[in-house]
Amino acid sequence: MVSVDDIRWFKQQFRTQIEAALPGTPFDIDMIAAIACQETGYIWSVVRKKNLSLDRVLALCVGDTIDFQGPGKGRQAFPRNKAHLLTEPHGREMFDIARDGLEQMSALVRGYERAVANPDKFCHGFGMFQRDLQFFKEDPHYFLDRRYENFSDTLTQCLGELERGLKKLGLQSKTNLTDLEFCAVAIAYNTGGYNPAKGLKQGFKDDSGKFYGEQIFDFLALSRTVDGAAMLSPGRYVVMARGGLKLRGGPGTNFDSEKTLSPGTELNVVEISSQDPAWARVDLEGDGLLDGYVFASFLAPVQQHMAAREDVPEPA
C-alpha cells in the first residue's frame, strides 16, 4: 500500500518535471501523484527501497498481465494474448520486451508468481502511468525504444490521455478542477468513458472491492496531506527525534540499524540519497568519513535549533 513517505518520495523525485509540464492544464501535482499511485504505486513503493537507481525503478514500472478470456471477459483490446501480438510487425520483439519486463518486475514485487510461471504471459501496461499496449499499433517506437522508462515521456503520454478525458466530459475549457471532477477525468483515463450516475464506482475493481474511481479519490486526498518538501542541503544538523534516530547502513528501513543517535546529537549531512531523498548520508565525527544514513525529517539545522533554545543568550 502506498504510504505518505512514498508520495513524498514521488514528489521529491519528480516535482520539477511535473510542474514544468502542467501550465495550460487544469491539473496539479497531487492529481498526477494520484494517477501514479493508482497505476503503479504497488510497484514503485516497493522497488524504490531496494537500493536501485531511479532509472531502474522507472524501468520496473510495468504491469497488467490479463489476457482475453472470452467475449466480455478479460482483455478485449489489442493484443488479446501472445498469439495476437505476434501477428503484428515487430510483434515478436515487443513480446520479448514485455515478457522481460514481467520477469524483471516480478522478481521484486510479490503477486506475479502465477503470471510469470506461464511462458505466454507478458505485460500490457508500460511506464509509471501505465500506457497500454493497445497503442502499440499507432506508436510502436514508444514501446520498442522503451521510452516509457523515461519519466518525461511517460508523463507526456499521461497528460495527453487526461486531456482526452477532459474533452469527453466537456471540461476542456476548465482552468482548474474540483477533486471530484478530476476523479471523473481519471475514470475516463482508465475506461475510456464516464457515467455520472455511477459516481466513483467505475473503472477497474480491485480485490478489496474498491473501484478505480474510489482509489483515485483516496490517493488524491492522501497526496494533498503530503508536503513534497524541500530536501536538506549539506551542512550541520541536530537530531530532533525524541526517542533517538537510527543510523542505518543504507537509505531505507530495510537496511540494518547500526546504532541509535540520541536527541540533540550534532552531525554533518554530506549528501541526500539519490535513491530516496527522504534519507541523508551523514558524517558523525566531522572527519570526512561517511557513517551511514538517517531519516532526514528528524533533523534540524543547528542554527535553527540553537535559536529556539531559551538558554541561548541574546546577541551582544
Side-chain angles (χ1 to χ4, degrees):
M1 181 64 180
V2 176
S3 69
V4 164
D5 286 339
D6 294 321
I7 294 176
R8 182 175 293 110
W9 172 87
F10 175 86
K11 289 184 177 182
Q12 289 172 337
Q13 294 290 348
F14 304 117
R15 175 183 290 278
T16 300
Q17 294 179 70
I18 293 171
E19 291 182 343
L22 292 183
T25 78
F27 308 119
D28 61 39
I29 189 171
D30 292 308
M31 295 173 178
I32 303 306
I35 295 286
C37 288
Q38 172 61 15
E39 295 291 347
T40 57
Y42 68 98
I43 296 172
W44 53 261
S45 67
V46 173
V47 300
R48 76 176 185 86
K49 301 168 185 173
K50 301 289 187 180
N51 200 26
L52 304 173
S53 68
L54 183 59
D55 287 345
R56 184 72 180 129
V57 171
L58 289 168
L60 289 165
C61 287
V62 296
D64 183 4
T65 62
I66 298 173
D67 287 337
F68 179 71
Q69 299 168 14
K73 296 181 180 180
R75 185 177 181 85
Q76 304 296 308
F78 170 88
R80 292 184 171 188
N81 49 37
K82 176 181 177 180
H84 195 190
L85 178 57
L86 295 181
T87 63
E88 289 298 310
H90 302 289
R92 167 55 68 177
E93 183 181 355
M94 186 65 246
F95 172 79
D96 290 343
I97 290 171
R99 175 66 191 182
D100 179 66
L102 171 60
E103 292 175 354
Q104 296 290 330
M105 181 270 289
S106 64
L108 297 171
V109 180
R110 295 182 60 184
Y112 283 85
E113 293 83 2
R114 290 183 62 185
V116 79
N118 181 341
D120 291 334
K121 284 285 190 179
F122 59 99
C123 289
H124 295 263
F126 294 83
M128 186 168 273
F129 302 103
Q130 291 289 273
R131 193 178 192 205
D132 195 274
L133 201 53
Q134 65 181 298
F135 294 104
F136 176 70
K137 289 183 176 182
E138 65 184 65
D139 189 12
H141 292 292
Y142 178 81
F143 301 94
L144 296 174
D145 297 341
R146 301 178 188 250
R147 285 163 44 201
Y148 55 85
E149 296 181 4
N150 181 290
F151 183 80
S152 62
D153 279 341
T154 193
L155 176 62
T156 296
Q157 297 301 328
C158 172
L159 289 173
E161 289 299 306
L162 288 173
E163 286 168 2
R164 279 187 278 276
L166 286 173
K167 291 179 181 178
K168 287 183 178 179
L169 273 63
L171 300 174
Q172 64 269 28
S173 62
K174 285 269 194 175
T175 57
N176 54 69
L177 300 172
T178 67
D179 287 355
L180 286 175
E181 286 174 333
F182 172 72
C183 289
V185 173
I187 289 168
Y189 175 94
N190 178 243
T191 67
Y194 175 73
N195 182 348
K198 293 184 177 180
L200 296 176
K201 294 185 179 297
Q202 299 179 66
F204 176 77
K205 188 177 181 181
D206 68 12
D207 292 339
S208 73
K210 275 197 170 184
F211 287 88
Y212 188 95
E214 296 173 307
Q215 295 278 18
I216 284 288
F217 184 84
D218 289 347
F219 282 130
L220 180 55
L222 182 61
S223 184
R224 295 223 184 277
T225 71
V226 179
D227 180 8
M231 293 185 290
L232 299 184
S233 300
R236 193 76 175 160
Y237 290 80
V238 61
V239 172
M240 299 295 290
R242 187 180 302 276
L245 184 59
K246 291 182 178 180
L247 178 71
R248 297 184 181 274
T253 55
N254 52 311
F255 291 90
D256 290 339
S257 173
E258 301 180 357
K259 62 188 298 186
T260 298
L261 307 179
S262 301
T265 299
E266 294 188 15
L267 49 78
N268 290 321
V269 168
V270 178
E271 63 183 6
I272 301 303
S273 169
S274 59
Q275 176 191 336
D276 186 342
W279 294 82
R281 201 173 190 185
V282 300
D283 166 14
L284 297 178
E285 307 296 333
D287 56 7
L289 300 178
L290 301 175
D291 294 295
Y293 291 80
V294 297
F295 194 60
S297 295
F298 294 103
L299 298 177
V302 166
Q303 292 303 318
Q304 175 183 319
H305 178 58
M306 292 293 290
R309 286 175 49 187
E310 296 181 356
D311 60 341
V312 175
E314 293 181 351

